[in-house]
Amino acid sequence: MPARIDIVEGDITSLPVDAIVNAANEALAPGGGVCGAIHRKAGPELAAACASSAAAPPARPRCAGFRLPARHVIHAVGPVWGGGERGEGKLLADCYRNALNLAAETGLKSIAFPAISTGIYGFPADRAAFIAARTVRETLRQRPGIERVVFCCFGRESYELHEAALAATAPQD
Ligand code: AR6
């Protein structure tokens, strides 16, 4: 059965899924935005787990969820928007693809994404939603173990952009 792709509007830290994806920074340190919200709700154990995985080569970007309803947190470092000529689109696609691949390789079935890079990192939200929708659809075709992907949108505008992006990338019958 093909995976379900849902869009929800709200706070990703309330979702009881196998993994939520964190829009992280390279140091995997608690920051602002969705990252700050995830760390606050997970508790200090998440920052401690991040510190030890950031220090251990190769970095292991999957942690337990601790006090979150999600079982795991997958850290993805999105690109900082610099005008679009610095490979930002490919880097953003890599975030979605790598997170889904990691989830599939470790047997996770449901995963929720925030709109990576579209806050503090300044990636245009409409382009980002399209890249997210296209990359998730492409990757799911190769990853039958994943049953549900959630785009967790913070606000109505983001919800509508993801709705439009999913419609624009829907497979033709
Ligand atoms: N649930 C879902 N989405 C949220 C939430 C939430 N609780 N809070 C914010 N968003 P951002 P970035 C949305 O800035 O652009 C951090 O400090 C938000 O509206 O969190 O990738 C990190 O540590 C936006 O649509 O991430 C990095 O340093 C989206 O999440 C840096 O910011 C992403 O916004 C990463 O910047």
Side-chain angles (χ1 to χ4, degrees), residues 10-13 23-25 29-37 78 114-122 152-154 158:
D11 180 0
I12 201 166
T13 69
N25 51 69
V34 68
C35 181
I116 299 168
S117 279
T118 66
I120 293 162
Y121 283 178
C152 182
C153 301
F154 212 53
S158 178

Side-chain angles (χ1 to χ4, degrees), residues 56-156:
R60 297 179 59 238
R62 194 188 81 162
C63 296
F66 300 103
R67 285 170 227 174
L68 291 161
R71 287 169 51 217
H72 299 279
V73 178
I74 292 176
H75 302 279
V77 183
V80 177
W81 180 253
E85 303 295 320
R86 300 180 189 169
E88 295 95 327
K90 183 189 173 301
L91 290 171
L92 186 64
D94 288 347
C95 287
Y96 286 89
R97 188 179 310 108
N98 292 343
L100 284 172
N101 284 335
L102 180 68
E105 280 156 15
T106 52
L108 306 185
K109 299 191 181 314
S110 57
I111 178 168
F113 288 95
I116 299 168
S117 279
T118 66
I120 293 162
Y121 283 178
F123 203 115
D126 53 345
R127 286 203 212 187
F130 183 80
I131 291 167
R134 186 183 60 197
T135 309
V136 166
R137 286 198 188 283
E138 277 169 12
T139 311
L140 285 177
R141 282 200 279 277
Q142 291 140 30
R143 294 297 190 179
I146 295 190
E147 293 173 1
R148 182 172 180 232
V149 174
V150 179
F151 288 118
C152 182
C153 301
F154 212 53
R156 197 68 207 167

